[in-house]
Structure formats: C-alpha cells, structure tokens
C-alpha cells in the first residue's frame, strides 16, 4: 500500500510519468522505504543508547547496583548485561584493591616506624644513662595527645617527634653528654644547639616535614613565658606537639638517673612540673600529663600507635 502511494506521488505530483521506466520507479520507491526504515531504526537505537548511557552515569554517581537491561535489541541487550556484570563485580574488585593497599600501607608504616626507632636508639646509645629516654618521651607524649583529644594522625606525629626530639645530640660530644660534674657555660651552650641541629637533620625528610615533626624537634625546649630556646617562642606560638614533648621530656629526665644526680621520685617530678606550669610549661598540657600518668595502661606501645601489629 505504501509502495503504491509513493508511486502515485512520484508519477502524478512530480509529473514524470513516461519519462522514467516503471521498474526504476519501483526501485526508487524501494530505496526510499529502506531509508525510512533505517532512519526509524537508527532513531530508536540512538534513544536506547542514550538511555543506557544515562543509566551508566547514574550508577557511577550513586549507589545503584545495576542498570535496566534492554530486551529484544541484541547489541544493546548484550552491552547492558555486560555492564551489569562489571557493576556486580565492582565491590569484589574494590575490596581486593583495598586489601592490597592496606597491606602495603601496613608494611610501609612498619618500615617507617622501625627506621624512626632505630634513629632514636642511635641517639640514646650515646648516653649511657638514657637508654630508653626517647621511647619513654614518645609514649608519654602520645598519651598526653590522646588525653587532649588530638586526632589519631596528630597524636602519631607527636609520638614520632618524641622518638626523634633529641636526634640533634648526635652532634654533641659524648664527653659533654656523660659528664659527671656540672657543665660549663660553653658546654651548656653546646647542648642547647641540639634542637636546631635535630631540625636540620630531619627537615629534608619529606615525610617528617609533612607531618610537622621537624618543628616539634626544633621547639621542644621553648618555654611558655618566651625564655626558652632556640627561637624564644611563647604561648600558642609554640606548636602543641612541642609543648607536649617538653613536659614528657622533663618528666623522664627527672625520673632517670643521670651522671650528675640520682633520679627524682614520680611525686617529686610531678611537683616540679606543677610548680613550673604557666612559666615553663603549658598549663593544659601539664593537667593532661598528670591525668595520663594516673593510668599507666594509657602509655601505649608503638605497634599499637601505628596499628602495625599482626
């Protein structure tokens, strides 16, 4: 019927009867019909493809689990089924990759921590009286950071700084570190160089710089009243990590036998720290330190800090 209609239009409306052979007319009509069918199929295919693309984008930007499958269109149907299979497997793929990343991160954390611990032990080994000083300061500092509600990352960074706070003493002669009598003025000035020396040692280590460890190492002998060294910072200008390490450092130094004196008792050391709150030490850090010392189980070992234990 449609072919007859086309024939009528071509012959009558275009007034070409007799000019073109009838078989040719039917060929033209056939081509036109094929063209119409192709246009309609292409339009339908395009709409289906656009809808499929829209659903894929929706899945990518939402929590949708699958896309609608298309029936009766072989290529589109197979494509939609293939995409759904990929989507169904995405959780498994993500889980596997996440596990791989976690294992790599754990290995790097372990390597990183062990390297830092080795550096701190190299420093402590120079002073026969302070074999565990750096690890003690790190553990005390971490406990105080948690008591002050600092986040996990900042607390870990302060722990690392505690391990490395005295690394500058690598450049201090052992004759000064282990001297049994009072230090001369010149010797004390030499000792006072260790925060700046330590800063210069660790500042070029990108990871330590990024974590803010370098500044804690540099400023752990500053005082709240501005009379510390090396930069004479005061109050809140001193990094919180440095204020924490300052208290932990002083406590462990006081409660450890030294070449020039016997150790103070726990109570004596806490009393001295209280008396210097607001001048040498940050009062809020002092309060947190005293509270953290009330429960020794808060002094956490390094593998717990970095969650590297198997």
């Amino acid at each position: 019927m449609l072919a007859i209609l086309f024939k009528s239009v071509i012959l009558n409306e275009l007034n070409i009867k007799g000019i073109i052979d009838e078989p040719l007319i039917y060929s033209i009509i056939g081509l036109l019909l094929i063209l119409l069918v192709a246009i309609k199929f292409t339009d339908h295919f395009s709409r289906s493809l656009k809808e499929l693309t829209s659903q894929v984008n929706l899945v990518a930007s939402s929590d949708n689990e699958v896309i609608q499958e298309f029936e009766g269109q072989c290529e589109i149907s197979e494509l939609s089924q293939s995409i759904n299979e990929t989507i169904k497997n995405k959780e498994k793929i993500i889980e596997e990759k996440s596990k791989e990343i976690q294992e790599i991160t754990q290995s790097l954390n372990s390597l990183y921590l062990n390297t830092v611990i080795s550096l701190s032990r190299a420093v402590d080994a120079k002073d026969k009286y302070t074999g565990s000083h750096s690890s003690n300061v790190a553990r005390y500092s971490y406990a105080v950071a948690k008591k002050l509600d600092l986040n996990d990352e900042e607390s870990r960074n302060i722990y690392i700084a505690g391990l490395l706070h005295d690394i500058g003493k690598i450049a201090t002669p052992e004759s000064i570190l282990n001297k049994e009598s009072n230090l001369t003025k010149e010797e004390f000035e030499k000792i006072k160089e260790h925060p700046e020396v330590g800063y210069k040692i660790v500042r070029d280590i990108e990871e330590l710089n990024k974590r803010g460890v370098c500044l804690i190492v540099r400023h752990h002998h500053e005082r709240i009243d501005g009379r510390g060294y090396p930069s004479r910072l005061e109050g809140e200008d001193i990094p919180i990590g440095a204020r924490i390490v300052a208290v932990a450092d002083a406590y462990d130094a006081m409660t450890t036998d030294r070449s020039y004196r016997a150790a103070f008792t726990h109570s004596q050391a806490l009393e001295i720290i209280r008396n210097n709150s607001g001048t040498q030490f940050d009062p809020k850090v002092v309060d947190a330190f005293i509270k953290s010392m009330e429960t020794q189980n808060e002094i956490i070992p390094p593998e717990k800090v970095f969650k590297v234990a198997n």
Side-chain angles (χ1 to χ4, degrees), residues 172-188:
T172 306
E174 291 183 33
S175 59
I176 295 178
L177 292 176
N178 296 315
K179 188 176 180 179
E180 296 186 1
S181 58
N182 292 333
L183 298 177
T184 65
K185 181 179 179 181
E186 291 75 18
E187 289 170 336
F188 185 61

Side-chain angles (χ1 to χ4, degrees), residues 10-71:
I10 292 172
L11 295 178
N12 298 326
E13 297 299 327
L14 298 182
N15 196 25
I16 58 174
K17 186 175 181 180
I19 300 176
I20 303 177
D21 293 337
E22 192 166 322
L24 182 58
I25 292 174
Y26 279 111
S27 297
I28 294 172
I29 291 171
L31 290 174
L32 289 173
L33 288 174
I34 291 171
L35 181 60
L36 284 175
V37 172
I39 291 172
K40 185 168 182 60
F41 176 79
T42 301
D43 181 62
H44 185 67
F45 184 87
S46 178
R47 286 199 307 271
S48 298
L49 192 56
K50 286 180 180 178
E51 186 177 347
L52 177 61
T53 302
S54 175
Q55 290 196 43
V56 169
N57 289 336
L58 182 63
V59 169
S61 60
S62 68
D63 293 330
N64 286 18
E65 294 298 328
V66 294
I67 63 173
Q68 175 185 344
E69 293 190 4
F70 294 79
E71 302 293 341

Side-chain angles (χ1 to χ4, degrees), residues 119-290:
L119 286 171
S120 69
R121 285 175 178 168
V123 176
D124 289 343
K126 290 194 69 178
D127 188 341
K128 62 183 179 181
Y129 291 95
T130 59
S132 58
H133 174 67
S134 295
S135 61
N136 289 344
V137 171
R139 292 186 292 111
Y140 296 148
S141 297
Y142 181 81
V144 174
K146 299 305 290 182
K147 187 63 71 174
L148 289 172
D149 293 324
L150 300 185
N151 63 46
D152 289 343
E153 182 177 4
E154 191 167 7
S155 298
R156 286 193 292 268
N157 295 340
I158 291 170
Y159 179 93
I160 295 168
L163 287 174
L164 296 176
H165 74 286
D166 274 346
I167 193 170
K169 287 184 177 179
I170 285 178
T172 306
E174 291 183 33
S175 59
I176 295 178
L177 292 176
N178 296 315
K179 188 176 180 179
E180 296 186 1
S181 58
N182 292 333
L183 298 177
T184 65
K185 181 179 179 181
E186 291 75 18
E187 289 170 336
F188 185 61
E189 289 301 318
K190 188 67 177 177
I191 284 281
K192 286 170 62 177
E193 292 176 1
H194 80 270
E196 191 67 29
V197 173
Y199 169 73
K200 290 177 180 178
I201 290 173
V202 298
R203 69 181 175 184
D204 292 329
I205 302 175
E206 184 179 352
E207 186 67 21
L208 297 179
N209 216 340
K210 184 174 67 176
R211 290 172 178 263
V213 171
C214 303
L215 292 179
I216 299 176
V217 170
R218 188 180 205 176
H219 297 301
H220 73 278
H221 277 295
E222 305 286 357
R223 292 170 53 110
I224 292 297
D225 60 12
R227 295 169 55 203
Y229 60 89
S231 303
R232 299 184 70 84
L233 300 181
E234 59 180 289
E236 297 289 326
D237 290 338
I238 305 169
I240 181 61
R243 284 178 268 155
I244 290 172
V245 171
V247 176
D249 185 25
Y251 173 82
D252 193 69
M254 286 188 285
T255 55
T256 305
D257 285 327
R258 295 299 174 104
S259 57
Y260 50 88
R261 61 151 175 81
F264 290 98
T265 65
H266 169 73
S267 298
Q268 288 172 329
L270 289 186
E271 186 63 26
I272 293 171
I273 288 173
R274 286 193 190 95
N275 290 340
N276 285 277
S277 177
T279 53
Q280 182 176 355
F281 305 121
D282 182 341
K284 69 179 181 183
V285 173
V286 170
D287 290 343
F289 180 81
I290 292 172

Side-chain angles (χ1 to χ4, degrees), residues 81-145:
Q81 291 172 10
S82 176
I83 292 173
N84 275 335
E85 286 300 316
T86 301
I87 293 171
K88 290 174 184 177
N89 290 331
K90 70 177 181 180
E91 293 299 330
K92 182 179 179 181
I93 295 171
I94 292 173
E95 183 179 352
E96 289 175 353
K97 294 301 178 184
S98 297
K99 186 177 180 181
E100 288 179 18
I101 292 171
Q102 187 177 12
E103 290 174 352
I104 293 171
T105 301
Q106 183 172 324
S107 297
L108 289 175
N109 275 340
S110 181
L111 176 61
Y112 176 64
L113 178 60
N114 288 334
T115 302
V116 171
I117 290 174
S118 296
L119 286 171
S120 69
R121 285 175 178 168
V123 176
D124 289 343
K126 290 194 69 178
D127 188 341
K128 62 183 179 181
Y129 291 95
T130 59
S132 58
H133 174 67
S134 295
S135 61
N136 289 344
V137 171
R139 292 186 292 111
Y140 296 148
S141 297
Y142 181 81
V144 174

